[in-house]
Amino acid sequence: MVVPAILFILIFSYIPMYGTLMAFQDYNIFKGFWESPWVGFKHFEMFFHSPDFWLVMRNTVVISLLKLLIGFPAPILLALMLNEVRKMAFKRIVQTISYLPHFMSWVIVAGFTMSMLSTDNGSINILLQKVNLIDEPVNWLSTTEYFWGILISANVWKEIGFASIIYLAAISGVNPDMYEAASIDGAGKLKQMYLITIPAIMPVVIIFLILAIGNLLSAGFEDILLLATNPALREVSDVLDTYVYRVGIKSSRFSYATAVGLYKAIISIGLLTAANLIARRTGNSLW
């Protein structure tokens, strides 16, 4: 049963690593890897001295941190709240509604978001006008000040339900006798949550936090590419992944884009290792 997954990772994750050689070459698609001229760290230096470097890094770090600070605890809070629901029918309905967006493609989610925020009969503008918060429709997806908030909100809405399933599974493993004993000792629901539930799921939380920190430079690709269709948003939406796509695929600068991608991978490995070393002190780590 594990063989298909191993083959998938081998074919799509490990074998393509051979292509990182392009980062140290002026790669020519007709000459191939071994006949293209070697240029050392030329493309890395070009990226570090590029006027886009600080802009791309700022957007990547800010969007990633916002996703981590808001998107990471959101499913934990949802799981804690759902754990306190005693009516199973209501609990199942909430779970179903919350995790269904995970199975939608970003094309559908982005289209849904654009429709809601549209200046022409968009439900958000209509609602805000009805309650007299705005006088005229706001072009949300053309204004840089609103983009990060829209992006993070769409991400949380899409993933909160599915991610909460993991934490609900961890919570289900807590011995009910612990809650009963705490209740007899006079602990209310909030105190039980703080003293029993959260410590019980903390090993799972730490493992997922380590993985999230390792992916800190993966600010997103599909969501940003589909929501930031207006070129005016580039100054707040251009991250490492979209930059690699724009420069590498659209401009055919394969070596330069590979260098940027390799730089991102090296930093990510460093962040993952550092997070794991820190987590090891708590007794919970990946290795």
Side-chain angles (χ1 to χ4, degrees):
M1 291 177 66
V2 181
V3 170
I6 293 174
L7 288 174
F8 180 85
I9 293 172
L10 182 67
I11 293 170
F12 292 101
S13 297
Y14 282 91
I15 293 177
M17 288 175 69
Y18 180 74
T20 56
L21 290 173
M22 284 192 291
F24 306 97
Q25 300 174 319
D26 274 332
Y27 179 72
N28 187 307
I29 193 170
F30 299 105
K31 292 181 179 180
F33 289 114
W34 296 111
E35 293 186 17
S36 296
W38 296 86
V39 294
F41 294 98
K42 169 188 170 183
H43 299 293
F44 292 92
E45 293 174 0
M46 288 174 61
F47 176 57
F48 295 146
H49 292 96
S50 167
D52 295 326
F53 176 75
W54 291 111
L55 176 67
V56 170
M57 287 304 299
R58 184 206 67 176
N59 292 338
T60 302
V61 172
V62 170
I63 292 174
S64 295
L65 286 176
L66 286 173
K67 286 184 176 181
L68 182 66
L69 295 174
I70 300 173
F72 184 79
I76 300 174
L77 293 173
L78 178 61
L80 291 172
M81 289 189 289
L82 286 174
N83 185 56
E84 299 302 323
V85 176
R86 294 294 170 256
K87 292 187 177 181
M88 295 306 296
F90 177 76
K91 186 176 181 178
R92 291 193 188 99
I93 291 170
V94 172
Q95 280 186 277
T96 303
I97 292 172
S98 63
Y99 73 63
L100 276 178
H102 171 80
F103 299 100
M104 298 180 188
S105 72
W106 265 111
V107 176
I108 296 172
V109 174
F112 178 68
T113 304
M114 288 178 179
S115 177
M116 287 184 65
L117 298 174
S118 172
T119 55
D120 184 19
N121 295 323
S123 56
I124 299 297
N125 277 314
I126 292 172
L127 176 62
L128 293 176
Q129 284 179 298
K130 291 287 186 182
V131 296
N132 296 319
L133 289 177
I134 58 174
D135 297 323
E136 297 180 357
V138 177
N139 197 346
W140 302 97
L141 285 171
S142 295
T143 310
T144 56
E145 288 83 0
Y146 303 127
F147 179 73
W148 288 344
I150 294 168
L151 179 68
I152 303 306
S153 300
N155 271 271
V156 170
W157 178 77
K158 188 176 186 298
E159 299 297 339
I160 186 172
F162 190 78
S164 68
I165 294 173
I166 299 166
Y167 299 110
L168 279 170
I171 292 171
S172 66
V174 180
N175 190 343
D177 294 340
M178 296 177 68
Y179 292 110
E180 187 176 344
S183 180
I184 292 171
D185 288 339
K189 290 296 182 182
L190 287 175
K191 207 161 189 178
Q192 290 176 30
M193 189 184 299
Y194 177 72
L195 295 175
I196 300 173
T197 310
I198 293 177
I201 66 172
M202 194 53 66
V204 178
V205 173
I206 289 174
I207 288 172
F208 278 93
L209 181 60
I210 293 170
L211 294 173
I213 291 173
N215 288 318
L216 201 59
L217 292 187
S218 297
F221 176 69
E222 287 182 322
D223 50 349
I224 296 174
L225 196 68
L226 292 167
L227 287 172
T229 54
N230 192 323
L233 294 174
R234 182 170 291 175
E235 76 171 275
V236 293
S237 67
D238 208 13
V239 296
L240 283 170
D241 289 329
T242 56
Y243 182 71
V244 167
Y245 167 74
R246 183 164 55 84
V247 174
I249 305 299
K250 287 190 171 182
S251 302
S252 300
R253 298 173 65 187
F254 303 117
S255 295
Y256 182 79
T258 304
V260 177
L262 184 58
Y263 160 77
K264 172 194 162 185
I266 292 170
I267 299 298
S268 296
I269 291 171
L271 289 171
L272 179 65
T273 305
N276 190 75
L277 289 173
I278 295 169
R280 192 181 294 172
R281 297 179 182 178
T282 67
N284 301 290
S285 59
L286 288 174
W287 70 88

